[in-house]
Amino acid sequence: MAEFTMDLNDEQKEVRDWLHGFAADVIRPAAAEWDEREETPWPVIQEAAKIGIYSLDFYAQQFFDPTGLGIPMAMEELFWGDAGIALSIVGTGLAAVGVLANGTEEQIGTWIPQMYGDANDVKVAAFCSSEPDAGSDVASMRTRAVYDAAKDEWVLNGTKTWATNGGIANVHVVVAVVDPELGSKGHASFIVPPNTPGLSQGQKFKKHGIRASHTAEVVLEDVRVPGSCLLGGKDKLDERMARARERAKAGGGERVKNAAMATFEASRPAVGAMAVGTARAAYEEALEYARTRTQFGRPIIDNQGVAFQLADMRTQIDAARLLVWRASWMATTGKKFESAEGSMSKLFASETAKKVTGQAIQILGGNGFTREYPVERMHRDAAIYTIFEGTSEIQLLVIARTLSGLPIR
């Protein structure tokens, strides 16, 4: 088991510097344009594919880093470049991870290559879980999957929302309800292949931030997919649901819910790392501005009010990174989140990003409020971290329930 350390090894440093160079030389110069256009930055994704950043192999290498620091390090550097473009680059990974976690070897080999395409013809994928009435409340999910035994097909109906790459994806991974009585254990994930009839893009959201990342509704109307598109296969699903029914009869429903919570806990530090990247970018912009902007004959950093803000910003960022790295290391090394450390890292890092980007605008004054300087965009982007992958209020609830052992509502 890898010991927890803040010292990156030579290989990790090399990857970090490589990613930082791409973020500085390719992502940053394109950020303002694609934010204004509110479109998927296909040329930037293609550049990432050419050098191997936009690929399953790269993210798999980071995921299997025995220290647990590969993914948070990668997320921080890419999102330091720009949150919207970075999310366009890493968004396909959400669907890929869904297939890796639940699919058979044949499904993994068939569908993940189609999610990414290649450097000459890049593709994207979408993971579709949230619904208009079911975000954090997964028990309210309404999208249904019904098995047609005569044709060995699943029929999907429903509407998904907030789907990154929704509607423009080559491959969609859709979570649907098979047995409503089993709650989340009655859910299953399905591959919807390219050009499947009945799947369409609904509303494309015009967002406050991360505008280079495509976010839309996905509408499913009698979408038929082959039985082979059920991730893991029907036998595995039937066995899992049978165990869930037996557990429910024995009064083990709470244990099922806690297992689901543990899955979310393990993924939240990655979002925290994204927030750290955005916060760090805003801090660096504010620091440079404070060093070079003169008022009353001296740099504004000489003023205690500005210097203290920068000191607070840096302290908050470093503390957030520590929480993210600790949770990532715990998840990789199999240590239990006894105090909801995953939620803690996401909560603190996301709130830090919101606070630090606001402070950066304040330090830049009127300039910070204009689009001539990037901190305005960073501030808009930072707002999402306190919302997706569970709002800050949900994180507080998870932490409180873990600490108290009570079903706090």
mmCIF file of all heavy atoms in Angstrom, residues 348-367:
data_model
loop_
_atom_site.group_PDB
_atom_site.id
_atom_site.type_symbol
_atom_site.label_atom_id
_atom_site.label_comp_id
_atom_site.label_asym_id
_atom_site.label_seq_id
_atom_site.Cartn_x
_atom_site.Cartn_y
_atom_site.Cartn_z
ATOM 1 N N PHE A 348 -15.168 21.586 0.434
ATOM 2 C CA PHE A 348 -14.223 22.653 0.746
ATOM 3 C C PHE A 348 -13.597 23.226 -0.520
ATOM 4 O O PHE A 348 -13.453 24.444 -0.667
ATOM 5 C CB PHE A 348 -13.134 22.143 1.687
ATOM 6 C CG PHE A 348 -12.283 23.239 2.260
ATOM 7 C CD1 PHE A 348 -12.718 23.983 3.348
ATOM 8 C CD2 PHE A 348 -11.059 23.548 1.695
ATOM 9 C CE1 PHE A 348 -11.941 25.003 3.868
ATOM 10 C CE2 PHE A 348 -10.267 24.567 2.203
ATOM 11 C CZ PHE A 348 -10.713 25.297 3.300
ATOM 12 N N ALA A 349 -13.227 22.360 -1.451
ATOM 13 C CA ALA A 349 -12.586 22.832 -2.675
ATOM 14 C C ALA A 349 -13.537 23.656 -3.527
ATOM 15 O O ALA A 349 -13.148 24.689 -4.091
ATOM 16 C CB ALA A 349 -12.041 21.652 -3.474
ATOM 17 N N SER A 350 -14.791 23.222 -3.638
ATOM 18 C CA SER A 350 -15.745 23.961 -4.467
ATOM 19 C C SER A 350 -16.089 25.316 -3.864
ATOM 20 O O SER A 350 -16.168 26.332 -4.569
ATOM 21 C CB SER A 350 -17.016 23.132 -4.686
ATOM 22 O OG SER A 350 -17.647 22.817 -3.464
ATOM 23 N N GLU A 351 -16.263 25.366 -2.548
ATOM 24 C CA GLU A 351 -16.532 26.644 -1.907
ATOM 25 C C GLU A 351 -15.299 27.548 -1.977
ATOM 26 O O GLU A 351 -15.425 28.772 -2.107
ATOM 27 C CB GLU A 351 -16.948 26.420 -0.451
ATOM 28 C CG GLU A 351 -18.298 25.739 -0.280
ATOM 29 C CD GLU A 351 -19.473 26.601 -0.758
ATOM 30 O OE1 GLU A 351 -19.305 27.845 -0.841
ATOM 31 O OE2 GLU A 351 -20.542 26.032 -1.052
ATOM 32 N N THR A 352 -14.110 26.955 -1.911
ATOM 33 C CA THR A 352 -12.879 27.728 -2.045
ATOM 34 C C THR A 352 -12.788 28.364 -3.432
ATOM 35 O O THR A 352 -12.424 29.537 -3.573
ATOM 36 C CB THR A 352 -11.646 26.843 -1.791
ATOM 37 O OG1 THR A 352 -11.627 26.455 -0.417
ATOM 38 C CG2 THR A 352 -10.354 27.572 -2.125
ATOM 39 N N ALA A 353 -13.114 27.602 -4.474
ATOM 40 C CA ALA A 353 -13.061 28.141 -5.835
ATOM 41 C C ALA A 353 -14.004 29.330 -5.990
ATOM 42 O O ALA A 353 -13.650 30.347 -6.602
ATOM 43 C CB ALA A 353 -13.402 27.047 -6.845
ATOM 44 N N LYS A 354 -15.196 29.201 -5.436
ATOM 45 C CA LYS A 354 -16.154 30.295 -5.537
ATOM 46 C C LYS A 354 -15.639 31.540 -4.811
ATOM 47 O O LYS A 354 -15.709 32.661 -5.311
ATOM 48 C CB LYS A 354 -17.498 29.846 -4.939
ATOM 49 C CG LYS A 354 -18.702 30.543 -5.546
ATOM 50 C CD LYS A 354 -19.950 29.716 -5.314
ATOM 51 C CE LYS A 354 -20.778 30.325 -4.235
ATOM 52 N NZ LYS A 354 -22.097 29.680 -4.088
ATOM 53 N N LYS A 355 -15.078 31.324 -3.619
ATOM 54 C CA LYS A 355 -14.581 32.442 -2.816
ATOM 55 C C LYS A 355 -13.348 33.084 -3.451
ATOM 56 O O LYS A 355 -13.269 34.319 -3.576
ATOM 57 C CB LYS A 355 -14.246 31.947 -1.406
ATOM 58 C CG LYS A 355 -13.633 33.009 -0.502
ATOM 59 C CD LYS A 355 -13.235 32.424 0.848
ATOM 60 C CE LYS A 355 -12.518 33.465 1.710
ATOM 61 N NZ LYS A 355 -12.067 32.898 2.999
ATOM 62 N N VAL A 356 -12.388 32.278 -3.845
ATOM 63 C CA VAL A 356 -11.129 32.797 -4.369
ATOM 64 C C VAL A 356 -11.336 33.554 -5.679
ATOM 65 O O VAL A 356 -10.729 34.611 -5.901
ATOM 66 C CB VAL A 356 -10.110 31.655 -4.550
ATOM 67 C CG1 VAL A 356 -8.930 32.080 -5.418
ATOM 68 C CG2 VAL A 356 -9.620 31.172 -3.189
ATOM 69 N N THR A 357 -12.177 33.030 -6.566
ATOM 70 C CA THR A 357 -12.413 33.738 -7.827
ATOM 71 C C THR A 357 -13.119 35.073 -7.584
ATOM 72 O O THR A 357 -12.874 36.047 -8.293
ATOM 73 C CB THR A 357 -13.234 32.881 -8.804
ATOM 74 O OG1 THR A 357 -14.449 32.444 -8.164
ATOM 75 C CG2 THR A 357 -12.446 31.664 -9.264
ATOM 76 N N GLY A 358 -13.974 35.121 -6.561
ATOM 77 C CA GLY A 358 -14.601 36.390 -6.185
ATOM 78 C C GLY A 358 -13.581 37.381 -5.647
ATOM 79 O O GLY A 358 -13.621 38.578 -5.954
ATOM 80 N N GLN A 359 -12.664 36.884 -4.827
ATOM 81 C CA GLN A 359 -11.605 37.744 -4.300
ATOM 82 C C GLN A 359 -10.709 38.262 -5.422
ATOM 83 O O GLN A 359 -10.239 39.413 -5.378
ATOM 84 C CB GLN A 359 -10.769 36.973 -3.274
ATOM 85 C CG GLN A 359 -11.481 36.722 -1.957
ATOM 86 C CD GLN A 359 -10.661 35.836 -1.025
ATOM 87 O OE1 GLN A 359 -10.327 34.707 -1.364
ATOM 88 N NE2 GLN A 359 -10.332 36.363 0.154
ATOM 89 N N ALA A 360 -10.464 37.430 -6.424
ATOM 90 C CA ALA A 360 -9.633 37.853 -7.552
ATOM 91 C C ALA A 360 -10.275 39.018 -8.287
ATOM 92 O O ALA A 360 -9.594 39.985 -8.660
ATOM 93 C CB ALA A 360 -9.403 36.677 -8.503
ATOM 94 N N ILE A 361 -11.577 38.948 -8.498
ATOM 95 C CA ILE A 361 -12.279 40.063 -9.136
ATOM 96 C C ILE A 361 -12.132 41.327 -8.300
ATOM 97 O O ILE A 361 -11.884 42.421 -8.821
ATOM 98 C CB ILE A 361 -13.771 39.719 -9.347
ATOM 99 C CG1 ILE A 361 -13.913 38.687 -10.466
ATOM 100 C CG2 ILE A 361 -14.579 40.973 -9.665
ATOM 101 C CD1 ILE A 361 -15.334 38.241 -10.718
ATOM 102 N N GLN A 362 -12.267 41.187 -6.993
ATOM 103 C CA GLN A 362 -12.158 42.347 -6.108
ATOM 104 C C GLN A 362 -10.778 42.991 -6.196
ATOM 105 O O GLN A 362 -10.643 44.214 -6.211
ATOM 106 C CB GLN A 362 -12.455 41.924 -4.669
ATOM 107 C CG GLN A 362 -12.722 43.072 -3.715
ATOM 108 C CD GLN A 362 -14.030 43.795 -4.023
ATOM 109 O OE1 GLN A 362 -14.938 43.197 -4.608
ATOM 110 N NE2 GLN A 362 -14.124 45.057 -3.656
ATOM 111 N N ILE A 363 -9.742 42.179 -6.262
ATOM 112 C CA ILE A 363 -8.381 42.709 -6.346
ATOM 113 C C ILE A 363 -8.157 43.432 -7.674
ATOM 114 O O ILE A 363 -7.499 44.484 -7.730
ATOM 115 C CB ILE A 363 -7.357 41.575 -6.150
ATOM 116 C CG1 ILE A 363 -7.380 41.106 -4.681
ATOM 117 C CG2 ILE A 363 -5.955 42.020 -6.547
ATOM 118 C CD1 ILE A 363 -6.562 39.857 -4.420
ATOM 119 N N LEU A 364 -8.717 42.903 -8.760
ATOM 120 C CA LEU A 364 -8.584 43.568 -10.052
ATOM 121 C C LEU A 364 -9.518 44.759 -10.201
ATOM 122 O O LEU A 364 -9.388 45.538 -11.155
ATOM 123 C CB LEU A 364 -8.842 42.572 -11.193
ATOM 124 C CG LEU A 364 -7.608 41.808 -11.714
ATOM 125 C CD1 LEU A 364 -7.057 40.842 -10.676
ATOM 126 C CD2 LEU A 364 -7.933 41.058 -13.001
ATOM 127 N N GLY A 365 -10.473 44.891 -9.298
ATOM 128 C CA GLY A 365 -11.383 46.031 -9.336
ATOM 129 C C GLY A 365 -12.236 46.029 -10.594
ATOM 130 O O GLY A 365 -12.739 44.996 -11.022
ATOM 131 N N GLY A 366 -12.384 47.200 -11.214
ATOM 132 C CA GLY A 366 -13.203 47.304 -12.421
ATOM 133 C C GLY A 366 -12.709 46.415 -13.539
ATOM 134 O O GLY A 366 -13.506 45.847 -14.296
ATOM 135 N N ASN A 367 -11.396 46.239 -13.655
ATOM 136 C CA ASN A 367 -10.859 45.354 -14.688
ATOM 137 C C ASN A 367 -11.321 43.914 -14.485
ATOM 138 O O ASN A 367 -11.570 43.183 -15.448
ATOM 139 C CB ASN A 367 -9.326 45.407 -14.676
ATOM 140 C CG ASN A 367 -8.788 46.689 -15.275
ATOM 141 O OD1 ASN A 367 -9.390 47.256 -16.178
ATOM 142 N ND2 ASN A 367 -7.656 47.156 -14.768
#
